[in-house]
Amino acid sequence: MTENGDATPLVQLENVNKHFGSLHVLKDINLTVSRGEVLVVIGPSGGGKSTLCRTINRLETIDGGRIVFDGNVLPAEGKGLARLRSEVGMVFQSFNLFAHKTIRENVTLGPTKVRGIARDAADKRAMELLERVGIASQADKYPAQLSGGQQQRVAIARALAMDPKMILFDEPTSALDPEMVQEVLDVMIGLARDGMTMMVVTHEMGFARRAAHRVVFMADGQIAEENTPDEFFTNAQTDRARDFLSKILTH
Amino acid sequence: MEDLIRYAPDLALGFLENIKLSIVGAITSLILGTILVAMRVSPTPVLRVAGTFYVNVIRNTPLTLVLAFSALGLSDQLGLVFSAEPRINSFWIVAMGLSAYTAAFVCEALRSGINTVPLGQAEAARAIGLTFMQSLRMIILPQAFRAVVAPLGSVMIAMIKNTTVAVAGGFAAESAANMKESFDQVGASIPIFLGIVVAFMAVTLPVGWFTGRLARRLAVAR
Ligand SMILES: Nc1ncnc2c1ncn2[C@@H]1O[C@H](COP(=O)(O)OP(=O)(O)OP(=O)(O)O)[C@@H](O)[C@H]1O
Ligand SMILES: [Mg+2]
C-alpha cells in the first residue's frame, strides 16, 4: 500500500469532532489513509459519511481535533487552503460540472487558473483524460447535453486534471440510472489499479470488493467498525453493521 | 404639430443627452452593481454589512434626492468636480448619481441570479482550488448574469427613463427639461409630448426585446 516507499500516511484525522448546531455529526473520529490506499466508507443515511469526506478538503470545517494532510495540518483559509484543495480531488453525487462551460473547459479550468498551466498544454492533457474516461468525442458539448454517467466521468477527469494526491468520492453513483453505474465504477476501478489514493463513500459492494483495501463502517457519527472488504461483508463484527448489511443485501 | 417641428432640434439635442446619460449609467451601474453584489456575498463581514447598508439606503431613497445630494453634497460641499465647464460637470454629477442609484438595483437583480446557481457549483469551484474571488468571477457571476438578463433589462429601462429627472442634479439640457421649457413658452403641446414618448419607446422597447432574446439565448441548461 506504500508502493512509493513513503510510509507516512497521506491523511490523518485525530479526534475530529463536528457539530451542526446541537447535532453531533462526527464524534472523535480517528482515521488514517495511507498513500495508494482505497478506502470505502459505508453506513446508514445520516451517519456522517459525507461530512467526514468533506472535512478532508475543508468544505466542512471541524470544531475539534485536527486533520493532517501530507504532513501539514489543513490550512484554515486563503491561498494555503486553495492549494490544499487543488491537491485533493472531489467527485460529488450530483456531478456539479460547471453548467456554463463546455466539457473541455470544465477539465482545463483548474489547471489553467489554479496551476497556471498554458492553455495548449492544458487542452492536450484534458483530451488525454477525456479519452481515458471515454468522453473525448463530447469535449465541446455542455454538461446538460451528457448523460449522468458521462457527466460523472467528466467530473472524474476534472479531478484528475489537477494531478491530485487523493480523490474523495461522495456517493458517485447514487444519482445515476442503474445502467450507468458500471461505466463510472469501471473508471474508478481503473484509478484504484493505478495506485490513486481514494476515499469512496458508496454502497456498491462490487466496487468495495474489487478495488478497496479497507472498509470503514460509519454510524451515528462514529467509526463503528473497519476491516478488509471480504471480512466486513462476510463476517461483520458489530450488530449495527450486520443489521445494515442485511438491509442493503436484501434489496 | 408646428410646435413639435419648431422645437424638434432642441428636443433632439436634449434626447441625445438622455442617451448619453443612459450609456454612461448602464456601464457604470453594471460595474458598481457587480462590485456591490460581490461585497454582499463575500465571506468578509465588514464588506457584507457595507454592501447591504448601501443597497438598502439607496434603494429606499427617491432618485431626485440622490441626484440633489450628488449636486449639493458631493459637488458643492465636498468639491467633487468633473469639469470646469458647468454643463459638463453637471452631466457627470448626474451620470454618477444615476449610476450609484441604479447600481443598487443591479446588485439586487444579480443577487437573485446568484440564488439560482446551485450550491454545488461553488463547492466544485472551491474543490478544484479556486479562491473565493475566482469562483465568483469565473463560475458564480457568469451563471448569475445569464439568469437575470431579462430583469437587468428592466433595470436598464427604468434607468433610461430616470434620465429625465436629471434636472434634480442640476443638469437641465435633456429632453424632458427642454420639453418643459418649450411648454413655458408656447403652452403644453400634445405633439411635443408624444414625440418624446415615442423617442423613449424607440430606445426602451428594443432594449426589452433584445434582453429578452439574449436571456433565452444565454440561459444555462442544467
Ligand atoms: N449543512 C448542514 N446543516 C445541518 N445539518 C447537516 C448539514 N449537513 C448534514 N447535516 C446533518 O448531519 C448528519 C450527517 O450528515 P451526512 O450528510 O454527513 O450523512 P451521510 O452519512 O452522508 O448520509 P447519506 O447517506 O444520507 O448521504 C445528518 O443528520 C444531516 O442531516
Ligand atoms: Mg451523504
Side-chain angles (χ1 to χ4, degrees), chain A residues 54 85 96-97 99-100 113, chain B residues 121 123 126-127 138 143:
Chain A
R54 292 159 58 87
R85 285 178 174 152
N96 296 348
L97 293 181
H100 64 307
K113 304 299 179 182
Chain B
Q121 296 285 306
E123 289 193 339
R126 276 150 70 201
M138 297 168 192
Q143 294 186 49

Side-chain angles (χ1 to χ4, degrees), chain B residues 10 146 155 162 168 217:
Chain B
D10 257 12
R146 287 156 182 250
V155 170
N162 282 340
R217 262 258 306 284

Side-chain angles (χ1 to χ4, degrees), chain B residues 22 32 53 58 76 108 110 121-122 124 129 135-136 173 182 202 208 222:
Chain B
S22 301
L32 270 180
F53 179 78
I58 294 288
D76 296 358
E108 290 309 273
L110 281 177
Q121 296 285 306
S135 71
L136 194 64
S182 75
R222 298 197 191 280

